[in-house]
Amino acid sequence: GTAGGAQPGEAGRATVPAWMKVDEAAKTVSADIEAGKTPDNNHWNFNGYYNGNATLTVPAGYKVRIQMKNSDPAVAHSIGVDSKTGEFPPMFQSPKPVFPGAISEDPTSPQGGTAPGKSATISFTADKPGQYSLVCYMPGHAATGMWIHFHVTEGGTAGVSTSS
């Protein structure tokens, strides 16, 4: 055992944060994600996380609904589930989400994406286990860190883990 009980900085331990709701009986997960929630990374973050320093995990087969609110004071953002988990291109050419429906409207257009103060909702079934990412598809955003990990696991439980 370790002295002092809980270790606050323990990475990799998934919990269900206040912004996430899990219904195991209905096999659903809903998450409220704020783009630009904090000034970190020039507001280019999801709930304050960026550069893959958080992992949202859902069990395979669950229906997922993500509501993204854009709290960035200046620029539009988007959200989608991408198959890459790093080394993102500066520009995405018509990105295809891993799961049908898992991408917000006009995701690469600074004029047509989710404007400051607006929200977008994506709904999809996470039917393929794997390691993916939630990314902003605006030019340059994912390349400069606006992404977090999105894992779909066989069995297991839904939750969020962070790495320092």
Side-chain angles (χ1 to χ4, degrees):
T2 48
Q7 296 96 32
E10 195 176 357
R13 185 93 169 264
T15 58
V16 177
W19 48 268
M20 186 175 176
K21 303 266 181 299
V22 180
D23 183 335
E24 289 180 4
K27 289 189 157 56
T28 60
V29 170
S30 63
D32 290 316
I33 289 185
E34 230 175 299
K37 182 182 172 109
T38 67
D40 294 307
N41 199 40
N42 189 35
H43 287 99
W44 293 6
N45 62 68
F46 291 123
N47 283 356
Y49 300 112
Y50 59 98
N51 264 333
N53 67 359
T55 302
L56 204 161
T57 301
V58 301
Y62 273 50
K63 284 191 168 56
V64 180
R65 183 176 173 277
I66 296 174
Q67 182 173 4
M68 182 194 77
K69 176 173 182 250
N70 185 358
S71 297
D72 187 313
V75 299
H77 290 296
S78 63
I79 193 166
V81 180
D82 200 81
S83 55
K84 286 175 85 75
T85 52
E87 293 179 34
F88 296 99
M91 305 283 280
F92 288 90
Q93 304 301 326
S94 27
K96 299 270 180 289
V98 174
F99 306 104
I103 194 165
S104 59
E105 209 171 314
D106 228 345
T108 59
S109 163
Q111 294 75 37
T114 306
K118 302 280 191 232
S119 294
T121 302
I122 61 173
S123 298
F124 58 94
T125 301
D127 54 8
K128 288 192 291 279
Q131 300 195 351
Y132 311 113
S133 61
L134 286 172
V135 306
C136 176
Y137 286 108
M138 291 295 161
H141 289 208
T144 47
M146 192 165 179
W147 67 280
I148 59 174
H149 291 281
F150 182 79
H151 291 177
V152 178
T153 58
E154 272 304 351
T157 54
V160 175
S161 57
T162 57
S163 57
S164 35

